[in-house]
Amino acid sequence: MSQLLLQGPFLTRTEAAHRAGVPARLLEHRPDLLRVGGSWLQEVYFEFQFDRDGVRPEIGRVVQSLKPQRSDVVIGDWLVRPNRSFGHASPLRYLNSGGSVERVVEVGEREVPAVAAPSITDQLETELAPAGREPSSVPRRRRRAMSRRPAMGSP
């Protein structure tokens, strides 16, 4: 996968916690929710995971089935991309039209690459790094060494 498709809108942690009906501090530990963000990017949640009653159970079930071996960003990308297995509809559109959750899980387990899930920040650095540059080659801020000047009146 060369480009990620991260489809918004997105909800902040506070907004997502309100929709899910849980305290914000517990939201990031929910295994049925996808989130994007980390230390250098504000944490957000895909709005498509929620409806007026909270977390959409069919989305939560798919996420929970795929998440142990797949990253949040990769699952989110797969859910919104057109897919031949669903008549060229995205898995999300297929679910929205009443499609089988079991079928989406089955196809997802077969198609979404299983990897040891790196941190969300690592995933984004890898996917969003400029072409031809490795994430580790992204320049980091360096502290300038302060020049040591002799104090006034010293030789």
Side-chain angles (χ1 to χ4, degrees), residues 34-87:
L34 299 172
R35 68 186 184 103
V36 178
S39 59
W40 62 271
L41 184 67
Q42 181 184 12
E43 175 185 322
V44 293
Y45 294 80
F46 295 95
E47 186 179 48
F48 64 70
Q49 301 177 102
F50 303 91
D51 62 17
R52 66 180 170 275
D53 298 322
V55 177
R56 292 178 55 185
E58 73 280 15
I59 301 291
R61 195 156 150 221
V62 170
V63 168
Q64 221 167 349
S65 296
L66 299 177
K67 200 170 179 177
Q69 296 179 354
R70 295 155 182 96
S71 72
D72 291 31
V73 173
V74 170
I75 296 167
D77 174 70
W78 179 77
L79 283 169
V80 299
R81 284 191 183 270
N83 189 303
R84 286 186 216 166
S85 299
F86 306 111

Side-chain angles (χ1 to χ4, degrees), residues 12-29:
T12 65
R13 180 188 286 191
T14 302
E15 293 167 334
H18 179 72
R19 290 261 191 105
V22 299
R25 68 187 181 325
L26 299 179
L27 195 65
E28 71 180 296
H29 303 291

Side-chain angles (χ1 to χ4, degrees), residues 98-115:
S100 163
V101 175
E102 290 78 17
R103 181 141 194 270
V104 173
V105 169
E106 176 188 318
V107 173
E109 286 176 346
R110 188 175 63 239
E111 292 183 358
V112 181
V115 294

